[in-house]
Amino acid sequence: MNKAPLYSRSPRRGAAVPPPPVGPAADAVDGSAPAAAPGTSAVTAAAATLPSRLRTLPPAAWALIGALLAALAMLAVQRLGPGQRAVTQDDIDLAVRESLEKEPLPSQATKAYQAILPSVVRVTGFADEDDAAADESPEKRAMERSLGTGVVIIDNGTILTNLHVVWGSKKIKVRFANGHESEAIMVGAQPENDLAVLKALSLPDDLEAATMRSTADLLPGDHVIAVGHPFGIGPSVSYGVVSGLKREFRSAEGERTLTNLIQFDAAANPGNSGGPLVTMDGQVVGIVTAILNPSEQRTFIGIGFAVPIENAAQAAGMPPF
């Protein structure tokens, strides 16, 4: 829709300006009344400022004008109605609160989750070229595969996940948000940041890539969500804040030390690995990669880590932000 043009209050250039009047007319233009002669009453002086035709109106005409003005004033009062008063800001605030109580707006976390959900995939790595046999026990099938999460960063099927999710797998499968499943191959890796880049071999028709955002303005205390498939359940969302920046983490096996990590307290468990860490505007700032737990349970105690999206983008051959 075209916007209505805005006009300046200053006069147009080049417009003809009429010459100022002189004499009594000039006094009428600039708003000043002609000086009353000595001995002239104030009423007479005020009447002298009226146009000549109004000054010659008979008293009956003046009485009629006064009656009309009084009638208009009474009509205006009657339109307000008895007992009505002007609407105040408190009235507006009350109406807004009542409306929100009847139909509450979705939370920021809900909107962020809805924005990222079409780009989240479940990643499964198999130890064999063939899927686990149907007659095998669930425990054996669980041992022969790894579960994690990934996020689509290019709509051609390019997916980011953790390297430890797919490392050693002979076969990789991904399941998209709409249920479409596809085999995937690893096309890139960045071991120093525990990142892997996958390419799905078949794509759903409505595939959407996530929007990535620089971490340059990310601060401790910023709200974030972690989306993934903890213990294979999902997609699941958890909510928290950024707890710190530029953290280091050394895996329990001592295989590698990860640096420059985002620390967060949104719940994450095995299966969240490779999933996106998302700000309230629905944009990805990191890839969930590890949780800190000194015990052997490997469950969440409030400290999770994510690789900044700048590193993840480089792993996929994309320029940093």
Side-chain angles (χ1 to χ4, degrees):
M1 178 182 294
N2 293 330
K3 294 184 178 179
L6 302 177
Y7 294 96
S8 170
R9 292 182 178 271
S10 57
R12 295 182 180 179
R13 295 182 180 179
V17 179
V22 294
D27 295 333
V29 170
D30 64 15
S32 60
T40 304
S41 68
V43 175
T44 306
T49 64
L50 296 173
S52 59
R53 291 184 179 180
L54 292 180
R55 291 200 300 267
T56 59
L57 288 176
W62 283 109
L64 179 60
I65 292 174
L68 289 174
L69 292 175
L72 290 173
M74 291 180 62
L75 180 61
V77 172
Q78 290 176 356
R79 281 178 175 269
L80 289 175
Q84 289 189 4
R85 59 182 177 80
V87 178
T88 65
Q89 185 62 45
D90 290 339
D91 297 326
I92 298 173
D93 294 341
L94 178 61
V96 171
R97 285 196 298 271
E98 290 178 348
S99 177
L100 291 177
E101 288 174 358
K102 294 178 181 177
E103 297 182 6
L105 296 175
S107 69
Q108 286 185 307
T110 297
K111 291 187 286 187
Y113 175 69
Q114 292 172 345
I116 192 62
L117 183 59
S119 306
V120 177
V121 300
R122 173 175 168 166
V123 180
T124 307
F126 296 91
D128 301 316
E129 290 289 346
D130 297 326
D131 297 347
D135 57 348
E136 290 180 349
S137 65
E139 293 80 7
K140 186 175 180 180
R141 289 199 298 269
M143 292 176 61
E144 290 183 346
R145 68 184 184 184
S146 59
L147 292 175
T149 307
V151 58
V152 178
I153 60 169
I154 306 176
D155 59 9
N156 64 359
T158 301
I159 299 167
L160 272 176
T161 188
N162 280 149
L163 182 59
H164 74 260
V165 171
V166 295
W167 183 254
S169 298
K170 299 294 182 62
K171 186 176 184 179
I172 302 170
K173 277 192 172 183
V174 294
R175 186 177 69 192
F176 295 90
N178 67 349
H180 178 85
E181 292 189 352
S182 169
E183 285 192 42
I185 58 174
M186 188 167 67
V187 295
Q190 196 179 74
E192 65 272 22
N193 288 309
D194 190 24
L195 293 170
V197 184
L198 308 180
K199 184 71 177 294
L201 300 184
S202 67
L203 307 177
D205 295 333
D206 56 350
L207 183 60
E208 296 182 23
T211 300
M212 296 179 287
R213 166 183 163 179
S214 170
T215 61
D217 60 348
L218 194 66
L219 295 172
D222 284 346
H223 294 272
V224 289
I225 59 172
V227 183
H229 295 79
F231 299 106
I233 302 172
S236 176
V237 60
S238 57
Y239 175 77
V241 299
V242 173
S243 304
L245 302 170
K246 299 185 182 303
R247 302 296 201 222
E248 291 188 358
F249 173 78
R250 186 172 182 82
S251 64
E253 297 80 8
E255 296 177 355
R256 65 172 65 91
T257 299
L258 303 176
T259 61
N260 191 34
L261 299 174
I262 302 169
Q263 179 188 340
F264 62 91
D265 71 350
N269 286 287
N272 276 106
S273 294
L277 187 70
V278 184
T279 57
M280 293 299 97
D281 54 9
Q283 299 179 353
V284 180
V285 289
I287 300 297
V288 176
T289 191
I291 57 175
L292 178 63
N293 190 337
S295 70
E296 297 180 358
Q297 302 301 318
R298 294 185 64 205
T299 55
F300 187 69
I301 61 171
I303 301 177
F305 299 102
V307 178
I309 198 62
E310 287 88 346
N311 301 74
Q314 289 178 345
M318 301 172 66
F321 295 93

